[in-house]
Amino acid sequence: MSTANSTMPKHVAIIMDGNGRWAQNRGLPRAAGHQAGFQTTRDIVESCARRRIDALTLFAFSSENWGRPEQEVGLLMDLFLRGLKSEVSKLNENNVCVTFIGERTAFSDKLQSEMLTAESTTENNTGLQLNIAVNYGGRWDIVEAAKKLALSVKQGDLEPDDISIEKFSSAVSLTNVSDPDLFIRTGGEKRISNYLLWQLAYTELYFTDVLYPDFSDDDLENALTFYAGRQRRFGKTGEQVADKHA
Ligand code: IPE
Ligand code: IPE
Ligand code: MG
């Protein structure tokens, strides 16, 4: 485990929260907030690519968000479908590699096929790794990993005693990137809301009151400045970490 205190995060994970309140504050329907949030996402992806951040993981739809009014869920699905169709070629031009995490079989065939198209179109790109969490839940992720490992045991490929942190880490989502260095939640709530429970074990957590549609490049800069000021100790003492050879 590295104790290096690089000033730039390699991997940023964001909970994009506050779209509904942004719209309500303006007397607009929640849909307008989601639409505005979509624009923010385009800008943030571009900002992260420009800053040469390796990976960005966005929470777009949680496994619990199905519990929202049917109309809002439908609208989010529409926006998602339209967004994928309209953005993939630009993402591809910008060398962004897109992948999705979450239980995607719950989505319409059309949406699943657009997700596959986005992934296959961009799979050889070497720029920003963009992971989009859809119908994702941290507990679901851990349970799925447990199922995979249990199956390996059942098939005789793995001994129960050989189940380790490393084995578990390679069975949960996001094996294509290192764990997030910086977590950002917009919208003022200070909670994880069942996001990357396993992967956030040692992530630096940054919370801002800014509602997601208002989250700008300057706000991202503030989060990066917060990150640059942290000393990541991973359980060691500050002195050990300050001395690179400890
Ligand atoms: C986040 O914004 C977007 C999704 C969950 C899809 P919200 O819609 O949760 O906005 P608030 O929290 O109600 O303001
Ligand atoms: C978390 O936001 C999920 C996404 C941003 C996709 P929520 O708005 O669903 O979280 P809670 O309900 O406030 O915890
Ligand atoms: Mg919310």
Side-chain angles (χ1 to χ4, degrees):
M1 195 176 281
S2 165
T3 52
N5 282 291
S6 162
T7 53
M8 271 295 273
K10 286 194 174 69
H11 181 183
V12 177
I14 305 183
I15 296 188
M16 314 182 285
D17 195 27
N19 294 350
R21 280 163 287 160
W22 182 91
Q24 275 155 2
N25 290 345
R26 286 166 173 70
L28 297 169
R30 293 177 62 84
H34 295 311
Q35 184 65 50
F38 177 67
Q39 297 301 326
T40 301
T41 302
R42 298 171 77 173
D43 296 344
I44 293 303
V45 168
E46 206 182 296
S47 295
C48 288
R50 186 163 30 82
R51 289 167 203 273
R52 308 223 174 277
I53 287 169
D54 290 348
L56 174 66
T57 301
L58 300 174
F59 206 0
F61 192 82
S62 79
S63 38
E64 288 73 31
N65 288 147
W66 293 110
R68 292 192 177 198
E70 209 175 302
Q71 195 207 5
E72 180 166 345
V73 172
L75 186 132
L76 283 166
M77 295 301 140
D78 269 5
L79 187 61
F80 194 28
L81 189 60
R82 277 190 288 124
L84 275 178
K85 280 189 173 153
S86 67
E87 297 307 305
V88 169
S89 60
K90 185 162 169 247
L91 290 167
N92 193 31
E93 274 167 34
N94 292 332
N95 201 20
V96 175
C97 174
V98 184
T99 54
F100 295 90
I101 60 168
E103 177 51 278
R104 65 175 85 183
T105 55
F107 294 110
S108 68
D109 290 347
K110 238 184 185 163
L111 205 40
Q112 288 187 54
S113 120
E114 285 298 332
M115 286 189 237
L116 282 176
T117 304
E119 288 177 331
S120 58
T121 308
T122 64
E123 68 187 346
N124 294 322
N125 290 344
T126 54
L128 179 73
Q129 173 62 50
L130 175 62
N131 306 301
I132 305 176
V134 287
N135 191 20
Y136 176 86
R139 288 178 172 173
W140 166 86
D141 199 358
I142 293 170
V143 168
E144 286 302 302
K147 281 192 208 165
K148 279 186 215 160
L149 296 173
L151 191 63
S152 296
V153 170
K154 191 178 170 195
Q155 290 170 339
D157 299 331
L158 182 68
E159 288 297 322
D161 267 353
D162 291 336
I163 296 177
S164 59
I165 290 173
E166 289 69 27
K167 284 258 158 37
F168 229 103
S169 291
S170 50
V172 292
S173 302
L174 293 184
T175 47
N176 56 345
V177 286
S178 54
D179 284 344
D181 301 296
L182 172 65
F183 160 99
I184 300 171
R185 182 174 186 142
T186 62
E189 308 297 353
K190 293 185 176 60
R191 54 179 175 251
I192 305 286
S193 297
N194 198 19
Y195 199 23
L196 304 159
L197 299 180
W198 177 274
Q199 298 85 344
L200 292 175
Y202 258 110
T203 303
E204 301 297 330
L205 306 179
Y206 180 81
F207 297 92
T208 171
D209 287 337
V210 174
L211 301 172
Y212 187 65
D214 290 329
F215 190 75
S216 64
D217 190 55
D218 284 350
D219 295 315
L220 177 64
E221 184 72 40
N222 288 340
L224 294 172
T225 303
F226 159 88
Y227 178 81
R230 309 269 60 79
Q231 185 189 46
R232 305 188 74 188
R233 292 192 283 277
F234 297 100
K236 295 192 174 187
T237 69
E239 290 73 20
Q240 282 176 297
V241 175
D243 174 5
K244 276 191 197 137
H245 304 291

